[in-house]
Amino acid sequence: VQLQASGGGLVLAGGSLRLSCAAAGFNFPYYAIGWFRQAPGKEREGVTCINASGTSKYYADSVKGRFTISRDNAKNTVYLQMNSLKPEDTAVYSCAAGGLCYSGATYSYWGQGTQVTVSS
């Protein structure tokens, strides 16, 4: 099982980034995918998730209206479009695969993260 997050980088506040989560080794179209982030000294935070069919999404209040999650089941990939980035969005972003998408859902598979740094 592989979940590889990519697309992170350094961006100015107000800027945008698009992260990708490429999956392999499991039946991707049947899994919900979540994005999480962890900043230094802070607990991991669930950012957003999308259900298997892409018809249901959850967003944390901290990113609602700024971040958009989407998926392409033909490419086994989930995307996270991040707009209007703020310095407090700085963290390592990781993706995970599980059965359902909702706040507090548990996930079976976890991938490596990608660093997002937003400078003011």
Side-chain angles (χ1 to χ4, degrees):
V1 173
Q2 280 191 323
L3 287 162
Q4 183 62 56
S6 62
L10 173 63
V11 64
L12 292 174
S16 299
L17 282 174
R18 188 174 86 150
L19 305 184
S20 297
C21 172
F26 62 99
N27 207 342
F28 178 82
Y30 290 89
Y31 281 78
I33 302 295
W35 280 100
F36 295 80
R37 66 186 182 186
Q38 188 164 21
K42 294 189 176 182
E43 291 188 356
R44 185 173 62 199
E45 174 190 14
V47 175
T48 178
C49 64
I50 187 168
N51 70 345
S53 63
T55 56
S56 178
K57 303 170 186 179
Y58 158 82
Y59 295 96
D61 287 343
S62 56
V63 306
K64 207 170 287 184
R66 300 187 297 123
F67 289 12
T68 303
I69 190 171
S70 61
R71 68 187 295 158
D72 185 339
N73 283 349
K75 295 182 178 180
N76 281 13
T77 302
V78 168
Y79 304 99
L80 180 60
Q81 179 67 43
M82 306 187 296
N83 298 330
S84 302
L85 282 162
K86 305 175 181 179
E88 51 263 43
D89 294 319
T90 295
V92 174
Y93 285 71
S94 303
C95 54
L100 298 172
C101 167
Y102 60 92
S103 175
T106 57
Y107 290 82
S108 303
Y109 307 127
W110 291 83
Q112 301 287 346
T114 184
Q115 176 71 46
V116 172
T117 303
V118 184
S119 64
S120 57

